[in-house]
């Protein structure tokens, strides 16, 4: 899935079996130079905020910069994984905030993150003009060329990208409109979101999704701002 | 939003009354008169004749390098970038797109119109240079800007009387390459900014170049006209058709010399093939095809065919949610027309061979350096994203630029680069701030010199860096108005990282991150470089006896 690939893998001799599950744990080492400045949870949270804001801002553009978007999303995933891991561990003595509050925060942030991420990414695929269903298709054909299902023999001549395949995708969306995809969604977000129905349905639910995002993000922001002083590093010299 | 330049924008010297410069895309009718050749730039005030070094070794074509003390230094083939050996040739301002003149600025207007240059304060965002490229002989230098214009500079012809003016470039042609467009299907505005310009090798008297914005590539022909036919039978002197009844004699039209005119005409428009933003174009060594790359796809075109292209790379996942990597740059091998490379946002380079299959999704070679565990951070992936990839002239190496380093790779070794150069490692501790203000996403380019012995790239604070691959020496220079008098020797700059700051050093916190050198170019055979800083184009050359 998308976010599990966000981490840049370290190349090892025998990496084939391990890639999908490898998770960096360098940030748990208190002696690591990158984490020497602030306790991991606090540095992660402020970066998390920042990244979510960037992501939101980027998606609000009429035509988002795909590279910027992908890099921000991948970074967000790293931060989220880090936050989830620090929540899972016994509280470290250096953490100023109460572990209980932090745990709840991170748990709810995972859940709301998953909701906002799924809908934001859905927005992205709509923006790109290819109305592909965000939930995985139950009856998928063999993973072929992404250009809207054009037969391989025509693959060499890619004439008008967006036009091909739209009708097909609409048809499939209609087929699976009523499918409950909460099972798939909870698998995406392993740590703390079991049973949480995250992805809003296509179609009638779509219009409500943006408002849900903003409300949840605002709530998240308020809570984080309220209990922690956001330590913003000094701005660069201008 | 960019306003098209007024038809009567005056961009040459005072005696030319509002002549249009260049041929605009909309004015392709035969009646449109190409502009007269632009006047020469005013000569820079000559402060002193260039000082003579004490070296007695003079190499034809390339001057010897002189150290600041004037003592002889090894030839440029041995040390590419000795300290203090670059001088400013000229600083060129691309003509301002929008007339910002008001009543109180009349006096300045007159002064400005008499010279080609406009003051920096009148420049608009449309004037920001977005690409710089020498042609294959180095005679021409093209720039593209955010306003969709292309300005071509031509090298001053050498003459015995004015040896000191060698290396100066003057405006040769200006034209509007791309206009802002509106995609009605997606309700999106398509920017007219020129992302890349690439020259075709010259095969006849005319020059050809490709220019591209986010969506459309265009082939432009730039040609000179210095003769005009006169004495038509069916048309009078003004071009109006004559009544055939009034024609009593016939004559043969003759070609008469005229003032040199340079006209640019669009010969091909390659459109509708890219869903995402085009980041690279590259002309193939067969001179018949070229490729254009966007975030997820690379297409192969034939110059003669505009209504179709071949898709040769497609990394778009079936489900956009699975997208984790985009294409950032692509280039053809300089000699092997079947080979090309493309770089990604994850810091990888893939080399592909078009003979292997029509669709090059599977690479022939995969270049990636293992991550350094001690330098890992949340931003590791962002700073590893490659912003530019360039083959060496020899075709043996590729150079990549990521946020903090420039790397040289040997095509025969995929697991790590053979050389890594730190561009501005002092920024490593500032990544969080740079992420906050989005500077971490800046896309710097990199270039080779003609002999592949020196590489150059830009940085912040209008600094740019050169690395000599042989001597391992490097230098930081600055392209700025304050420090540059014509023919003055550039002083090497140094950034102070911590502790006591020396007199001429600048501290990291004082760097101006809004002044970034993203685009540079190196003359194909001589030590002349072009550096773009916002709307300024600086041309530097090595010091010559």
């Amino acid at each position: 899935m998308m976010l599990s690939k966000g981490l840049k893998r370290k190349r090892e001799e025998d990496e084939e079996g391990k890639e999908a599950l490898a998770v960096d744990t360098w940030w748990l080492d208190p002696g690591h130079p990158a984490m020497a400045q602030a306790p991991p949870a606090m540095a992660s949270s402020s970066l998390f905020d920042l990244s979510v804001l960037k992501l939101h801002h980027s998606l609000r553009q009429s035509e988002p910069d795909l590279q910027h978007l992908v890099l921000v999303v991948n970074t967000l995933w790293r931060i989220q994984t880090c936050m989830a891991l620090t929540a899972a561990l016994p509280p470290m003595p250096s953490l100023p905030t109460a572990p209980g509050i932090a745990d709840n925060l991170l748990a709810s942030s995972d859940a709301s993150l998953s909701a906002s991420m799924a809908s934001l990414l859905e927005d992205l695929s709509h923006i790109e003009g290819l109305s592909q269903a965000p939930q995985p298709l139950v009856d998928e054909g063999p993973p072929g060329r992404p250009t809207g299902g054009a037969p391989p023999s025509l693959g060499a001549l890619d004439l008008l990208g967006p036009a091909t395949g739209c009708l097909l995708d609409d048809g499939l969306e209609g087929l699976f409109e009523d499918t409950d995809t909460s099972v798939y969604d909870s698998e995406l977000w392993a740590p703390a979101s079991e049973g949480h129905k995250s992805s809003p349905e296509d179609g009638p639910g779509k219009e409500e999704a943006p408002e849900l995002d903003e409300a949840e993000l605002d709530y998240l922001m308020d809570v984080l701002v309220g209990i922690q002083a956001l330590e913003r590093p000094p701005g660069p010299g201008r | 939003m960019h306003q098209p330049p007024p038809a009567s924008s005056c961009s040459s010297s005072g005696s030319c009354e509002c002549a249009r410069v260049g041929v605009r895309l909309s004015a392709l009718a035969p009646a449109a008169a190409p502009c007269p050749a632009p006047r020469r730039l005013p000569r820079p005030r000559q402060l002193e004749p260039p000082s003579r070094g004490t070296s007695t070794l003079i190499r034809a074509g390339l001057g010897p390098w002189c150290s600041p003390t004037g003592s002889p230094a090894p030839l440029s083939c041995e040390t590419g970038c000795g300290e203090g050996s670059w001088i400013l040739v000229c600083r060129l301002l691309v003509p301002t797109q929008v007339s910002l003149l008001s009543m109180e600025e009349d006096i300045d207007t007159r002064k400005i119109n008499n010279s080609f240059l406009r003051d920096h304060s009148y420049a608009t965002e449309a004037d920001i240079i977005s690409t710089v490229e020498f042609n294959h002989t180095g005679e021409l230098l093209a720039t593209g800007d955010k306003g969709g214009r292309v300005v071509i500079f031509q090298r001053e012809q050498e003459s015995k009387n004015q040896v000191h003016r060698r290396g100066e470039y003057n405006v040769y042609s200006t034209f509007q390459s791309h206009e802002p467009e509106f995609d009605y299907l997606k309700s999106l505005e398509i920017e007219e900014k020129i992302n890349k310009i690439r020259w075709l090798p010259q095969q006849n008297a005319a020059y050809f170049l490709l220019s591209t914005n986010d969506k459309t590539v265009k082939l432009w022909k730039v040609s000179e006209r210095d003769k005009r036919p006169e004495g038509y039978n069916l048309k009078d002197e003004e071009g109006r058709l004559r009544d055939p009844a009034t024609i009593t004699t016939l004559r043969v039209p003759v070609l008469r010399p005229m003032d040199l005119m340079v006209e640019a005409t669009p010969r091909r428009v390659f459109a509708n093939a890219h869903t995402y933003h085009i980041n690279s174009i590259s002309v193939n060594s067969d001179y018949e095809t070229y490729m254009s790359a966007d975030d997820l796809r690379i297409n192969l075109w034939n110059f003669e065919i505009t209504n179709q292209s071949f898709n040769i790379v497609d990394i778009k996942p079936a489900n956009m949610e699975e997208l984790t990597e985009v294409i950032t740059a692509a280039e053809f091998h300089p000699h092997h027309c079947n080979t090309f490379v493309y770089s990604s946002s994850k810091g990888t380079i893939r080399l592909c061979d078009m003979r292997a299959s029509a669709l090059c999704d599977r690479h022939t070679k995969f270049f990636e350096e293992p991550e350094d565990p001690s330098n890992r951070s949340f931003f590791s992936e962002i700073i590893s994203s490659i912003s530019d990839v360039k083959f060496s002239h020899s075709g043996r190496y590729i150079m990549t630029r990521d946020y903090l380093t420039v790397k040289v790779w040997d095509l025969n070794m995929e697991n790590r680069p053979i050389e890594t150069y730190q561009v501005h490692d002092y920024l490593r501790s500032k990544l969080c701030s740079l992420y906050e203000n989005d500077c971490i996403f800046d896309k710097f380019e990199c270039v080779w010199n003609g002999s592949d012995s020196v590489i150059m790239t830009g940085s912040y604070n209008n600094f740019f860096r050169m690395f000599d691959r042989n001597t391992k020496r490097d230098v930081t220079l600055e392209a700025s108005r304050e420090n540059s008098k014509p023919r003055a020797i550039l002083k090497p700059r140094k950034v102070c990282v911590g502790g006591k700051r020396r007199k001429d050093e600048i501290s990291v916190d004082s760097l101006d991150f809004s002044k970034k050198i993203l685009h540079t170019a190196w003359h194909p055979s001589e030590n002349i470089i072009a550096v773009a800083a916002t709307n300024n184009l600086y041309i530097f050359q090595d010091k010559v006896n």
Side-chain angles (χ1 to χ4, degrees), chain B residues 12-14 101 105-115:
Chain B
S12 44
S13 70
L101 307 172
E105 290 165 334
D106 278 344
I107 297 172
D108 291 321
T109 307
R110 214 171 351 106
K111 198 168 62 173
I112 285 168
N113 285 341
N114 281 339
S115 72

Side-chain angles (χ1 to χ4, degrees), chain A residues 2 5-6 8 11 47 51 54 62-63 67 70 74 78 128 130 132 145-146 156 159 234 236-237, chain B residues 188 215 272 276 311 314 316 318 321 323-324 346 361 368 377 381 385 433 435-438 443 509 511:
Chain A
M2 171 174 185
K5 290 186 192 169
K8 184 170 161 73
R11 272 169 73 85
L47 276 177
S51 302
K54 278 187 184 300
S62 51
E63 207 173 7
Q67 181 182 351
V70 161
N74 290 350
R78 286 187 178 224
E128 293 301 332
L130 298 156
Q132 302 197 4
R145 308 283 325 154
L159 300 175
Chain B
L188 294 173
K215 301 286 184 175
N272 298 325
Y276 307 100
N311 175 245
D314 192 330
K316 182 175 178 295
E321 273 191 7
L323 181 66
T324 59
K346 281 207 169 139
D361 284 2
E368 184 181 30
S377 74
E381 182 177 328
S385 174
S433 315
Y435 178 65
E436 198 177 350
N437 62 18
D438 270 350
K443 294 174 196 159
D509 296 315
L511 294 174

Side-chain angles (χ1 to χ4, degrees), chain A residues 2 5-6 8 10-11 24 26 32 34 44 47 50-51 54 62-63 65-68 70-72 74-75 78-79 82 121 125 128 130 132 134 145-147 156-160 162 232-234 236-238, chain B residues 188 215 272 276-277 295-297 308-311 314 316 318-326 328 345-346 361 366 368 371 373 376-382 385 432-433 435-438 441 443 509 511 513:
Chain A
M2 171 174 185
K5 290 186 192 169
K8 184 170 161 73
K10 187 177 171 188
R11 272 169 73 85
D24 287 347
W26 53 269
H32 193 280
S44 307
L47 276 177
L50 183 58
S51 302
K54 278 187 184 300
S62 51
E63 207 173 7
D65 177 351
L66 210 56
Q67 181 182 351
H68 185 271
V70 161
L71 290 173
V72 168
N74 290 350
T75 305
R78 286 187 178 224
I79 298 167
C82 164
L121 291 165
S125 53
E128 293 301 332
L130 298 156
Q132 302 197 4
R145 308 283 325 154
T147 51
L157 288 176
D158 189 11
L159 300 175
L160 294 169
R232 301 235 174 242
R238 285 196 181 259
Chain B
L188 294 173
K215 301 286 184 175
N272 298 325
Y276 307 100
H277 292 176
D295 292 315
L296 298 179
R297 299 194 177 102
Q308 63 185 28
S309 69
F310 285 91
N311 175 245
D314 192 330
K316 182 175 178 295
N319 189 346
M320 278 295 268
E321 273 191 7
E322 293 173 4
L323 181 66
T324 59
E325 193 173 10
V326 297
T328 53
S345 56
K346 281 207 169 139
D361 284 2
F366 181 79
E368 184 181 30
E371 207 177 342
R376 220 179 278 171
S377 74
F378 287 130
F379 310 110
S380 291
E381 182 177 328
I382 299 180
S385 174
C432 206
S433 315
Y435 178 65
E436 198 177 350
N437 62 18
D438 270 350
F441 300 102
K443 294 174 196 159
D509 296 315
L511 294 174
F513 287 87

Side-chain angles (χ1 to χ4, degrees), chain B residues 198-219:
Chain B
R198 289 289 182 263
W199 290 94
L200 270 67
Q202 197 175 3
Q203 289 170 313
N204 53 36
Y207 303 102
F208 287 88
L209 62 80
L210 286 173
S211 70
T212 185
N213 68 349
D214 283 340
K215 301 286 184 175
T216 304
V217 185
K218 293 187 184 178
L219 176 69

